[in-house]
Amino acid sequence: MLERFRATWAKIMSPIADLFLKLGISPDVVTFVGTLGVTAAALWFYPRGEFFLGTVVITAFVFSDMVDGLMARKSGQSSAWGAFLDSTLDRIGDAAIFGGLVVWYAGTGDDLLMTSVALWCLVGGQLTSYARARAESLGMQAKGGIAERSDRLVAVLAMTGLSGIFDLPVLRTIVLWALAVASTVTVVQRIMMVRRQALAKA
């Protein structure tokens, strides 16, 4: 389903990618602007409790992630540098989204438990990415698990946006607890994947 969604949005975004290339805009610039937009929106709207508007703005900038990739492929500019930059800046944006929720719960939300849960979602997301990157640097694989980046991102944005529309904070509570557990399980799964590969090589 996710692949069909990506294919559909790629077709929709293709004319935008073509326009940016005609204007001489590079994929790297789109990557930077997208990350800046996600980060600024998450850290401005979420701590203020503006969950629906914040999600709309964040989502608009998240789609730049598809545009820069399309631009790179169309222009033949795909490179190791572009992949590295995109992955690194993605983590900044993800951290800002959960960080914005952490600030809300630590401040106006006044909920120490949910502050901790949101913080663990932030840390867990970074750990899943680190586990994969570290495994690959050692010549092994650590892909997969029950909570990949795209799954976490869609879940937190959808439920946070809905919580703002319907004024149902329980939706945020549910998704953050679910992601905290799923991220923990995913980290453990990736550790076990690497352990099996390491033992097989021994």
Side-chain angles (χ1 to χ4, degrees), residues 74-196:
K74 285 173 175 286
S75 63
Q77 297 180 47
S78 296
S79 64
W81 158 249
F84 170 80
L85 179 67
D86 189 54
S87 294
T88 301
L89 294 186
D90 279 348
R91 272 62 196 177
I92 294 174
D94 293 355
I97 290 169
F98 287 104
L101 293 172
V102 169
V103 175
W104 159 256
Y105 284 114
T108 307
D110 192 24
D111 190 327
L112 181 58
L113 177 60
M114 289 310 301
T115 299
S116 302
V117 174
L119 183 59
W120 180 246
C121 288
L122 190 162
V123 173
Q126 302 302 309
L127 278 174
T128 57
S129 297
Y130 174 79
R132 176 176 173 177
R134 182 58 175 152
E136 290 176 351
S137 75
L138 295 171
M140 293 179 279
Q141 295 293 320
K143 296 180 180 179
I146 65 171
E148 298 232 38
R149 175 185 179 260
S150 56
D151 302 321
R152 297 193 306 271
L153 191 60
V154 169
V156 73
L157 289 178
M159 295 296 272
T160 300
L162 289 173
S163 76
I165 294 175
F166 300 110
D167 191 24
L168 289 173
V170 67
L171 296 178
R172 290 193 307 278
T173 300
I174 291 170
V175 75
L176 289 173
W177 272 108
L179 290 179
V181 172
S183 295
T184 303
V185 172
T186 301
V187 171
V188 173
Q189 287 177 313
R190 292 186 174 185
I191 289 172
M192 296 308 297
M193 288 177 200
V194 174
R195 182 175 185 274
R196 285 194 295 270

Side-chain angles (χ1 to χ4, degrees), residues 6 13 16-18 20-21 25-35 61-79 82-83 85-87 89-90:
R6 285 182 176 275
M13 295 294 178
I16 299 175
D18 292 335
F20 285 172
L21 288 171
I25 300 171
S26 76
D28 288 353
V29 169
V30 175
T31 301
F32 274 115
V33 171
T35 301
F61 281 106
V62 163
F63 284 124
S64 69
D65 193 40
M66 293 185 181
V67 176
D68 62 5
L70 277 173
M71 291 172 66
R73 288 190 291 275
K74 285 173 175 286
S75 63
Q77 297 180 47
S78 296
S79 64
L85 179 67
D86 189 54
S87 294
L89 294 186
D90 279 348

Side-chain angles (χ1 to χ4, degrees), residues 1-10:
M1 182 178 292
L2 183 59
E3 290 305 317
R4 288 200 299 270
F5 175 80
R6 285 182 176 275
T8 299
W9 272 106

